[in-house]
């Protein structure tokens, strides 16, 4: 699919010195841009100091926000995450999500990706492995009848258990350490899978994408994970 092809175009150039500054060139696919905007959006808002307006340009604020996001990530070290990794909001019909068809619509991604950006079903299913899901029940005229939140994330304690059990990405031959990995539902929660260590496997970002693309299954035991590729 087109989104898979776009992922191969993701790149970040090496820094190039330019009159005391360092210039980078970044290319992202729609999902990557959504994550970036979610990370830096709240940090790039103007911040008046002592009643004095923030005189930085929008580009300056965004640059400072990216550095701040990286600084916070570095400071966090290898601790298990305690909240949703990125606040990317995607709406998708639940039946389409369960059946891996249709597409999801990204909401509010700042200046780069606006409302209406589409993500493929496997991309949405992978994001849903470690992103909070807020179910919204709509009436016939689109009015919100009920708004709820259901926990589908692995807890910090569960992730630490997986770090000890899996020791890193569970795909054979991958050496990604555990703190680079996501907690993956072997049976996706949309298909009735539970958020339990017996239904979990650590996967690095690259292999997490591949598992969802190719529909790989796995057997989980108390001592580890065996993938059926």
């Amino acid at each position: 699919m087109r989104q898979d092809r776009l992922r191969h175009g993701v790149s970040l150039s090496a820094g190039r010195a330019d009159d005391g500054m360092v210039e980078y060139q970044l290319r992202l696919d729609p999902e990557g841009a959504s994550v970036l905007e979610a990370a830096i959006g709240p940090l790039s808002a103007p911040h008046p100091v002592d009643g004095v307006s923030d005189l930085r340009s929008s580009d300056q604020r965004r640059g400072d926000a990216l550095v701040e996001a990286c600084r916070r990530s570095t400071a966090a070290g290898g601790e298990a995450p305690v909240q949703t990794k990125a606040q990317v909001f995607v709406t998708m019909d639940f039946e389409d999500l369960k059946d891996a068809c249709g597409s999801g619509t990204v909401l509010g991604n700042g200046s780069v990706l606006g409302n209406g950006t589409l993500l493929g079903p496997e991309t949405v299913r992978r994001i849903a492995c470690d992103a909070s899901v807020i179910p919204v029940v709509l009436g016939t005229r689109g009015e919100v009848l009920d708004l709820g939140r259901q926990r589908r994330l692995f807890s910090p304690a569960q992730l630490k258990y997986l770090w000890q059990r899996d020791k890193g990405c569970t795909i054979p031959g991958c050496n990604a350490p555990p703190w680079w990995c996501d907690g993956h539902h072997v049976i996706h929660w949309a298909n009735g899978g539970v958020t339990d260590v017996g239904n979990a496997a650590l996967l690095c970002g690259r292999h997490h994408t591949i598992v969802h693309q190719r529909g790989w299954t796995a057997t989980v035991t108390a001592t580890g994970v065996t993938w059926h590729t």
Side-chain angles (χ1 to χ4, degrees):
M1 60 183 292
R2 183 170 184 269
Q3 285 181 4
D4 295 338
R5 295 194 300 270
L6 289 177
R7 287 185 65 86
H8 292 294
V10 173
S11 65
L12 173 63
S13 69
R16 181 175 64 86
D18 180 20
D19 194 25
M21 301 293 286
V22 181
E23 182 175 304
Y24 295 86
Q25 184 173 5
L26 173 65
R27 289 174 58 84
L28 295 174
D29 64 334
E31 180 195 348
S34 297
V35 174
L36 177 66
E37 294 297 331
I40 71 174
L43 298 174
S44 60
H47 290 288
V49 178
D50 295 331
V52 179
S53 299
D54 190 337
L55 301 179
R56 295 175 299 165
S57 68
S58 174
D59 285 355
Q60 286 177 312
R61 295 199 308 272
R62 288 171 59 80
D64 288 342
L66 178 58
V67 172
E68 178 63 21
C70 292
R71 181 179 290 114
R72 293 185 182 187
S73 176
T74 302
E79 287 300 314
V82 295
Q83 60 185 8
T84 302
K85 289 186 176 181
Q87 297 292 329
V88 179
F89 293 90
V90 181
T91 61
M92 185 173 184
D93 182 85
F94 181 77
E95 292 302 318
D96 287 346
L97 178 65
K98 184 173 66 174
D99 297 334
C101 63
S103 60
T105 303
V106 179
L107 302 179
N109 285 285
S111 59
V112 179
L113 294 177
N115 290 338
T117 299
L118 299 181
L119 296 177
E122 289 308 326
T123 300
V124 176
R125 286 166 70 90
R126 180 172 53 79
I127 291 174
C129 275
D130 58 351
S132 61
V133 175
I134 303 177
V136 181
V137 180
L138 301 179
T140 56
R141 295 186 299 274
E143 71 276 20
V144 176
L145 301 180
D146 183 63
L147 176 65
R149 178 187 179 96
Q150 185 165 352
R151 181 178 180 86
R152 302 191 186 276
L153 305 181
F154 292 105
S155 70
Q158 287 174 316
L159 287 174
K160 289 177 179 178
Y161 174 88
L162 294 177
W163 286 8
Q164 294 297 317
R165 187 194 71 188
D166 295 347
K167 304 296 191 298
C169 181
T170 52
I171 298 298
C174 182
N175 296 317
W179 48 88
W180 288 5
C181 297
D182 303 324
H184 167 74
H185 290 75
V186 173
I187 300 175
H188 199 280
W189 59 261
N191 300 112
V194 296
T195 304
D196 184 86
V197 293
N199 186 45
L202 288 184
L203 290 172
C204 68
R206 176 172 175 272
H207 284 121
H208 201 175
T209 296
I210 290 173
V211 164
H212 278 278
Q213 287 175 342
R214 301 182 183 177
W216 288 351
T217 60
T219 299
V220 182
T221 68
T223 58
V225 179
T226 301
W227 286 98
H228 312 299
T229 60

